[in-house]
Amino acid sequence: MLLFLVSLIGFMVLNLAPGGPLSQYALTPGMTKEALDRIAEQMGLNRPLPIQYLDWFWNLLQGDWGKSYRDGRPVLEIIGGHLFATLLLMGSSTLVAVLIGTWIGIHSAVRQGSVFDYVTTVGAMVALSIPTFWFGLIAIFVFSLWLGWLPAGNMYTVGDGSAADYAVHLIMPSLVLALVNVATWSRYMRSATLDVMSQDFVRTARAKGLTPRRVLMKHIVGNALVPMITLAGLQLPTLLGGALVTETVFTWPGMGRLFLDSLGYNDYPVVMGLLMFSAVLVLIGNLAADLLVALVDPRIRLE
């Protein structure tokens, strides 16, 4: 039902936007109204919108996601060609955000009120307040133009394509995309850790004479990570949105860059395909998070 609503709203918004899919054809020199009408009839765009939507949705259910208006290639083939780049960027940035954000959150909670806590709190507020594209442009200026340490964009060097070359090109976009997520993750992890530290079982563990490190690692961190698993699933839409901006800044050939290019060309089948694919990824991410929480937390399994 959710996918149906996403598809319906996306289809209506795209078709209500000014221009329409025929706007690119109208720019062709010598194009006449009769020729445009003929193209619209061939593409099925002269039918009522509800009929167009039902026809598109029925084909979608059968595995036919349509063909691009730009080059006639199947939409799934186009998305598949950009999927690896997005998954590589999102996977690496998520790993960085989880590792660094978890460490900062735990240490901020353990050292509540310290200089470290105040510095990380201010840093998180700054990171959440400044747009992602600004961080990307500053990173390009400093590390590419000024210092010359890292490439300014693209996924690999033409003619190279080695693993080391991929890794070098991945450093800046993954860190920029991870920056805002580190801020979010560290704040939530700090709150979850402080909440667990105030529980009775933690005080009992300390009363038994366990070392502070053992109490932290065995009783506090494990329980604080349970709500963070749910957060990881809920952050997937934010991560996809950030990837769109980051891929554009660093000319990364992923689905975010494809989405903006397709919007510019009014390539509606590709745009709708990306919307549906993103919705499916979000649903899978949330479902996986719920299942993982049920596996980790025995209290949920008992219910």
Side-chain angles (χ1 to χ4, degrees):
M1 184 63 183
L2 181 59
L3 291 178
F4 171 75
L5 291 176
V6 169
S7 66
L8 180 60
I9 295 173
F11 190 89
M12 297 306 295
V13 169
L14 280 177
N15 283 276
L16 290 175
L22 293 177
S23 59
Q24 295 297 325
Y25 296 98
L27 299 176
T28 304
M31 180 64 67
T32 62
K33 185 179 183 304
E34 291 75 14
L36 280 176
D37 292 339
R38 190 162 52 250
I39 293 174
E41 183 177 359
Q42 292 173 353
M43 298 171 64
L45 299 176
N46 59 342
R47 298 173 298 168
L49 279 181
I51 302 300
Q52 293 184 42
Y53 170 76
L54 291 175
D55 184 49
W56 171 82
F57 192 74
W58 176 250
N59 291 331
L60 181 74
L61 294 177
Q62 295 179 317
D64 181 7
W65 291 42
K67 294 185 178 181
S68 169
Y69 289 160
R70 190 166 20 164
D71 54 17
R73 293 167 56 203
V75 171
L76 280 178
E77 178 184 327
I78 296 174
I79 294 176
H82 295 76
L83 180 60
F84 171 74
T86 294
L87 292 180
L88 179 63
L89 178 59
M90 288 177 57
S92 59
S93 64
T94 301
L95 180 62
V96 171
V98 169
L99 293 178
I100 298 179
T102 300
W103 183 84
I104 292 176
I106 293 172
H107 281 263
S108 295
V110 173
R111 303 174 184 176
Q112 185 181 13
S114 65
V115 174
F116 179 85
D117 186 27
Y118 284 120
V119 170
T120 54
T121 299
V122 173
M125 295 302 104
V126 172
L128 291 171
S129 302
I130 299 178
T132 304
F133 75 86
W134 188 86
F135 285 121
L137 294 176
I138 293 299
I140 291 174
F141 175 77
V142 173
F143 296 106
S144 295
L145 300 181
W146 186 18
L147 299 176
W149 291 354
L150 298 170
N154 294 320
M155 188 175 175
Y156 57 89
T157 303
V158 177
D160 190 339
S162 62
D165 185 59
Y166 272 93
V168 170
H169 283 79
L170 183 62
I171 292 175
M172 270 205 301
S174 62
L175 290 179
V176 168
L177 181 57
L179 184 60
V180 174
N181 294 300
V182 166
T184 304
W185 192 274
S186 64
R187 293 297 89 195
Y188 276 104
M189 190 65 197
R190 178 182 182 274
S191 299
T193 304
L194 288 174
D195 182 62
V196 174
M197 289 172 62
S198 64
Q199 300 297 317
D200 291 337
F201 68 87
V202 174
R203 287 193 288 267
T204 302
R206 289 169 176 164
K208 289 181 177 180
L210 296 179
T211 62
R213 180 177 179 82
R214 184 171 177 80
V215 172
L216 175 66
M217 300 307 298
K218 184 176 180 180
H219 296 280
I220 296 178
V221 174
N223 286 279
L225 284 174
V226 172
M228 306 307 296
I229 297 174
T230 304
L231 175 65
L234 295 176
Q235 275 196 311
L236 189 55
T238 305
L239 197 60
L240 286 170
L244 187 150
V245 176
T246 306
E247 289 177 2
T248 303
V249 172
F250 290 98
T251 61
W252 189 266
M255 294 195 301
R257 179 82 183 278
L258 175 64
F259 183 81
L260 288 181
D261 290 345
S262 299
L263 278 178
Y265 280 94
N266 292 324
D267 197 349
Y268 290 0
V270 176
V271 174
M272 285 301 302
L274 289 169
L275 285 175
M276 296 304 296
F277 195 84
S278 300
V280 171
L281 284 181
V282 171
L283 289 177
I284 293 175
N286 290 330
L287 179 61
D290 291 340
L291 293 176
L292 190 56
V293 168
L295 291 175
V296 172
D297 194 344
R299 295 170 297 179
I300 298 178
R301 292 202 299 269
L302 289 176
E303 294 176 358

